[in-house]
Amino acid sequence: MSKDLDGLRDQVRAFARARDWEQFHSPKNLAMALSAESGELLEVFQWLTEAESRALTPQARNAAAEEIADVLIYLVRIADQLGIDPIAAAREKMVLNEKKYPADKARGTNKKYTEL
């Protein structure tokens, strides 16, 4: 894991421990909380046009930043609870994605890998 991500993981651990929240941080509960926070991130973009979503107002950008932070915090926490290095997992997944979506076939299309 990266040094920054290790530091965040340790900070989140300490935060939960200081509040005796570890008892609530099962992988199931964390996954549900992650889903809820992802939904809150979606709300920032609800009803925006494509152009508006690329040029958020300062208020919407701040809201997106807070929700992205919540998503990251829960993601780091669930990875910690499961003993998964999220950086290593993402790198392994990118190797799989390279195979599923070869650039020469996937360039410029939004088709799923099963349709390429």
Side-chain angles (χ1 to χ4, degrees):
M1 202 178 319
S2 77
K3 184 178 178 181
D4 288 340
L5 208 50
D6 281 345
L8 178 59
R9 179 204 58 212
D10 294 346
Q11 185 179 3
V12 173
R13 277 182 187 169
F15 183 88
R17 191 175 304 120
R19 289 154 183 79
D20 193 26
W21 287 354
E22 291 174 316
Q23 62 183 315
F24 308 116
H25 286 188
S26 67
K28 175 194 74 74
N29 288 349
L30 292 166
M32 291 190 311
L34 175 61
S35 179
E37 293 301 338
S38 296
E40 290 179 18
L41 177 59
L42 284 172
E43 286 180 359
V44 174
F45 298 98
Q46 189 174 14
W47 312 120
L48 297 183
T49 65
E50 287 291 323
E52 290 168 334
S53 74
R54 294 180 185 276
L56 295 176
T57 65
Q59 181 181 0
R61 189 178 185 290
N62 288 340
E66 284 191 18
E67 298 310 332
I68 288 168
D70 286 340
V71 167
L72 180 59
I73 289 166
Y74 278 114
L75 187 60
V76 166
R77 186 71 173 144
I78 193 171
D80 185 30
Q81 292 295 305
L82 294 172
I84 294 170
D85 177 342
I87 300 297
R91 287 190 176 128
E92 290 172 16
K93 181 62 174 169
M94 287 304 300
V95 170
L96 293 175
N97 288 345
E98 288 282 341
K99 292 176 185 173
K100 289 163 79 172
Y101 295 96
D104 61 322
K105 292 183 180 179
R107 183 174 289 107
T109 182
N110 62 359
K111 290 182 180 178
K112 189 172 178 178
Y113 69 94
T114 55
E115 299 174 1
L116 295 177

